[in-house]
């Protein structure tokens, strides 16, 4: 098990983030291209948001812990992602969108964004959204754990996000002090835990927030709460394909990146 300490970066128009994947320490955990934890008590850290920008060749997953983000895109979609809501966006052949955080009346704006790679045969697929409200995410309670099942399955309960190529598992776990959480990692899948509150034992190793833990292939995961703790468990099927990156574009070759930039220049990016 490898422990990754997040690094602070600023993205968009100046949003302060803690980044764990897409850093010099962990560039890529196939199929996961990026993992960010955003949130602050200071609105100056996030209100500038993410003005209109493009994506191609990837999926972006936004999961909110608190506050709201208003979004709209080049296809005419618009809406608001609120507390415990999830947006799973497949950019496919190309989309222009913006995400603008809103100052909450109380508490702080906080959440996560994950980028998931698409296989070569789906990189130019039609863009689409799966937007899931908090009330539609099932919760399983067992052995001092409360597990929100966003994607994949836990204790026979399946999450509402479906038809994703990477066959992902995405769980948000609250574990009380003295509680226990157990789960098998699908053999062949890459997986990580992101501990964002508290401390405990993860497969026998003592860890405390905030950190990302890269798990081994086919691990049997056991987490014991030393104190109340909260973490995400994310896993997915690796693509084992070459990647070419340029900002919000992730393709398989540099030529495809050049095509994306040329499409953007000519105004033919959105198909």
């Amino acid at each position: 098990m490898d422990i990754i300490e997040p690094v602070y970066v600023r993205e968009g128009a100046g949003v302060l983030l803690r980044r764990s994947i897409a850093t010099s320490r962990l560039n890529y955990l196939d199929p996961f291209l990026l993992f960010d934890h955003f949130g602050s008590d200071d609105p100056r850290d996030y209100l500038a948001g993410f003005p209109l920008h493009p994506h191609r060749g990837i999926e972006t997953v936004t999961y909110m812990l608190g506050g709201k983000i208003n979004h709209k895109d080049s296809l005419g979609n618009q809406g608001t992602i609120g507390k415990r809501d999830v947006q799973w966006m497949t950019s496919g052949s190309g989309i222009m969108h913006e995400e603008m955080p809103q100052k909450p009346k109380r508490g702080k704006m906080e959440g996560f964004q994950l980028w998931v790679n698409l296989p070569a045969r789906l990189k130019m697929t039609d863009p689409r959204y799966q937007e899931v409200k908090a009330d539609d995410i099932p919760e399983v309670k067992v052995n001092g754990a409360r597990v929100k099942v966003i994607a994949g399955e836990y204790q026979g309960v399946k999450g509402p996000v479906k038809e994703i190529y990477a066959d992902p598992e995405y769980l948000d776990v609250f574990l009380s002090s003295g509680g226990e959480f157990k789960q098998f990692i699908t053999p062949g899948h890459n997986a990580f835990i992101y501990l964002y509150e508290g401390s405990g034992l993860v497969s026998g190793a003592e860890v405390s927030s905030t950190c990302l833990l890269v798990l081994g292939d086919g691990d049997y995961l056991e987490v014991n709460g030393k104190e109340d703790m909260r973490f995400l468990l994310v896993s997915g099927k690796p693509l084992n394909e070459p990647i070419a990156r340029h900002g919000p574009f992730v393709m398989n070759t540099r030529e495809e990146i050049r095509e994306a930039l040329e499409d953007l220049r000519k105004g033919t990016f959105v198909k």
Side-chain angles (χ1 to χ4, degrees), residues 101-122:
Q102 305 301 300
K103 183 179 178 180
K105 294 181 179 178
R106 61 182 65 87
K108 68 178 182 177
M109 195 281 301
E110 185 177 16
F112 308 98
Q113 186 162 95
L114 174 72
W115 289 12
V116 186
N117 201 8
L118 283 168
R121 66 180 182 85
L122 294 179

Side-chain angles (χ1 to χ4, degrees), residues 68-87:
K68 294 180 179 180
I69 290 180
N70 293 340
H71 69 90
K72 61 182 178 180
D73 67 27
S74 52
L75 302 177
N77 300 301
Q78 59 182 326
T80 299
I81 313 167
K83 184 177 180 179
R84 303 293 173 194
D85 294 344
V86 175
Q87 182 194 79

Side-chain angles (χ1 to χ4, degrees), residues 68-248:
K68 294 180 179 180
I69 290 180
N70 293 340
H71 69 90
K72 61 182 178 180
D73 67 27
S74 52
L75 302 177
N77 300 301
Q78 59 182 326
T80 299
I81 313 167
K83 184 177 180 179
R84 303 293 173 194
D85 294 344
V86 175
Q87 182 194 79
W88 200 297
M89 184 191 79
T90 304
S91 67
S93 60
I95 198 166
M96 302 284 293
H97 78 156
E98 66 177 44
E99 299 159 300
M100 302 303 292
Q102 305 301 300
K103 183 179 178 180
K105 294 181 179 178
R106 61 182 65 87
K108 68 178 182 177
M109 195 281 301
E110 185 177 16
F112 308 98
Q113 186 162 95
L114 174 72
W115 289 12
V116 186
N117 201 8
L118 283 168
R121 66 180 182 85
L122 294 179
K123 283 195 176 292
M124 296 299 285
T125 194
D126 291 340
R128 66 168 182 152
Y129 286 89
Q130 294 188 58
E131 203 153 289
V132 181
K133 294 299 183 183
D135 289 346
D136 295 322
I137 298 174
E139 184 176 84
V140 179
K141 298 179 182 179
V142 59
N143 296 332
R146 299 200 311 267
V147 182
K148 292 184 179 296
V149 187
I150 295 165
E153 183 175 336
Y154 180 71
Q155 296 287 324
V157 176
K158 295 183 178 181
V161 175
K162 304 180 188 303
E163 298 176 1
I164 302 295
Y165 180 83
D167 189 23
E169 179 176 82
Y170 195 129
L171 308 178
D172 180 15
V173 182
F174 169 81
L175 189 60
S176 62
S177 176
E180 183 178 66
F181 170 86
K182 297 179 179 180
Q183 179 78 325
F184 281 104
I185 305 301
T186 302
H189 283 208
N190 284 328
F192 67 87
I193 277 181
Y194 186 74
L195 176 60
Y196 62 95
E197 284 183 20
S199 64
L201 296 174
V202 178
S203 296
E206 187 166 335
V207 293
S208 58
S209 64
T210 304
C211 65
L212 183 143
L213 297 88
V214 180
L215 305 177
D217 183 17
D219 266 358
Y220 173 68
L221 178 67
E222 184 173 332
V223 184
N224 302 97
K226 184 178 178 181
E227 58 182 359
D228 289 355
M229 59 190 297
R230 297 201 62 179
F231 59 90
L232 305 178
L233 171 60
V234 180
S235 70
K237 177 173 59 179
L239 302 183
N240 299 311
E241 294 181 353
I243 62 171
R245 294 190 190 209
H246 184 89

Side-chain angles (χ1 to χ4, degrees), residues 16-71:
L16 185 65
L17 308 164
R18 279 177 285 186
R19 178 164 294 169
S20 302
I21 301 178
T23 69
S24 58
R25 180 76 168 79
L26 180 61
N27 181 49
Y28 180 41
L29 183 64
D30 190 5
F32 306 118
L33 296 152
L34 175 145
F35 181 77
D36 285 340
H37 178 188
F38 54 85
S40 174
D41 294 314
D42 186 349
R44 292 174 297 182
D45 287 337
Y46 60 80
L47 279 181
F50 301 90
L52 195 67
H53 61 280
H55 284 292
R56 177 178 284 181
I58 65 171
E59 299 181 286
T60 67
V61 187
T62 305
Y63 176 44
M64 298 296 295
L65 293 181
K68 294 180 179 180
I69 290 180
N70 293 340
H71 69 90

